[in-house]
């Protein structure tokens, strides 16, 4: 019915934190009219208690055991890779198959005890008033870091371990988390025996 394998990723480029800080997230939710009190806020954003207080950049969640990423962030990579590679691999609706048959554990994937630093970069956007440029900043973890997690695959005739390996291979071109188009979060991988 299912099979589980452990994989190790090694960052080829820095990995950028992708979660907004508490203050920014709270303001965003209040603008939507979705926040009533702290309890409601926690329901909307269960990792909120793990974020640093009042930064002005995107961050990694953390607790007493260290800095981590969430299982759904890794699964998001697989879903994106499946969507991009579906035609190459000749598997219709590969993203949906990944969503329903591939699972990542543990919930918290620990990376390190502390981040490497803050990366500032320009962000350009086309708006109705013309091109706008601002500076954004993110915590980052330097290239070379290795971390592990498990992939569980439910039996499926098209979504096989060979396909999962092809999806993982895509990580050397487009990586995890934020600013993937800028080459950040790229990785190589290997199965852990």
């Amino acid at each position: 019915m299912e099979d589980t394998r452990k994989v190790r990723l090694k960052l080829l480029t820095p990995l950028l934190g992708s979660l907004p800080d508490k203050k920014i997230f709270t303001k965003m939710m209040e603008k939507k009219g979705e926040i009533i009190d702290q309890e409601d806020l926690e329901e909307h954003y269960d990792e909120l208690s793990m974020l640093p207080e009042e930064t002005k950049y995107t961050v990694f969640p953390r607790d007493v055991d260290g800095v981590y990423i969430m299982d759904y962030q890794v699964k998001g990579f697989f879903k994106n890779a499946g969507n991009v590679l579906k035609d190459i691999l000749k598997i219709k609706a590969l993203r949906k198959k990944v969503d329903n048959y591939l699972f990542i554990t543990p919930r918290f994937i620990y990376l390190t005890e502390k981040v490497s630093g803050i990366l500032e970069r320009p962000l350009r956007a086309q708006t109705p008033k013309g091109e706008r440029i601002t500076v954004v900043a993110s915590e980052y973890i330097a290239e070379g870091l290795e971390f592990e997690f498990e992939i569980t695959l439910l039996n499926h005739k098209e979504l096989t371990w060979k396909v999962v390996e092809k999806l993982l291979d895509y990580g050397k071109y487009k990586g995890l988390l934020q600013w993937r188009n800028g080459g950040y979060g790229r990785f190589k991988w290997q199965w852990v025996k």
Side-chain angles (χ1 to χ4, degrees):
M1 170 83 182
E2 68 184 55
D3 186 25
T4 300
R5 296 186 185 179
K6 185 178 269 194
V7 65
R8 177 181 298 128
L9 304 188
K10 181 176 182 178
L11 294 176
L12 299 173
T13 59
L15 181 68
L16 302 183
S18 61
L19 297 174
D21 71 17
K22 290 180 186 181
K23 191 173 184 179
I24 292 170
F25 182 81
T26 302
K27 283 182 182 180
M28 179 183 76
M29 296 304 285
E30 286 173 344
K31 280 184 181 180
K32 291 181 171 184
E34 296 184 26
I35 299 299
I36 299 168
D37 58 26
Q38 186 65 28
E39 187 175 317
D40 287 339
L41 181 60
E42 295 293 338
E43 283 180 29
H44 281 84
Y45 198 64
D46 63 353
E47 293 85 43
L48 194 63
S49 64
M50 303 300 184
L51 296 178
E53 291 287 341
E54 297 187 19
T55 60
K56 294 192 187 295
Y57 42 87
T58 57
V59 299
F60 291 95
R62 65 208 57 207
D63 62 20
V64 295
D65 294 322
V67 177
Y68 60 87
I69 58 176
M70 301 296 295
D71 57 349
Y72 64 80
Q73 293 175 300
V74 175
K75 188 163 184 174
F77 162 80
F78 279 102
K79 289 168 61 174
N80 181 61
N83 194 47
V84 171
L85 299 177
K86 66 182 182 281
D87 294 332
I88 294 169
L89 298 173
K90 299 182 183 355
I91 300 175
K92 290 183 181 180
L94 182 53
R95 178 187 176 108
K96 186 174 182 179
K97 290 175 175 85
V98 165
D99 195 28
N100 291 317
Y101 295 95
L102 185 145
F103 302 93
I104 305 299
T105 52
R107 176 80 168 148
F108 299 163
I109 301 167
Y110 286 92
L111 305 174
T112 183
E113 291 182 10
K114 61 182 183 173
V115 298
S116 303
I118 305 293
L119 174 73
E120 293 182 343
R121 62 203 183 276
L123 178 66
R124 185 179 308 183
Q126 289 293 339
T127 72
K129 294 183 178 183
E131 185 173 84
R132 298 285 187 247
I133 299 175
T134 188
V135 175
V136 295
S138 300
E139 289 183 333
Y140 75 89
I141 295 173
E143 65 275 4
L145 178 85
E146 295 184 15
F147 59 97
E148 298 175 358
F149 56 89
E150 291 184 337
I151 302 170
T152 298
L153 191 58
L154 300 182
N155 289 344
H156 190 274
K157 64 182 179 182
E158 292 178 296
L159 184 57
T160 64
W161 286 111
K162 290 214 180 275
V163 171
V164 171
E165 289 175 355
K166 296 290 184 191
L167 299 177
L168 284 164
D169 286 344
Y170 185 63
K172 67 183 165 191
Y173 303 111
K174 194 165 186 179
L176 294 164
L177 304 184
Q178 198 170 154
W179 207 18
R180 296 180 305 272
N181 286 341
Y184 286 82
R186 292 186 296 136
F187 60 86
K188 63 182 180 177
W189 68 274
Q190 68 181 43
W191 293 122
V192 176
K193 305 273 185 211

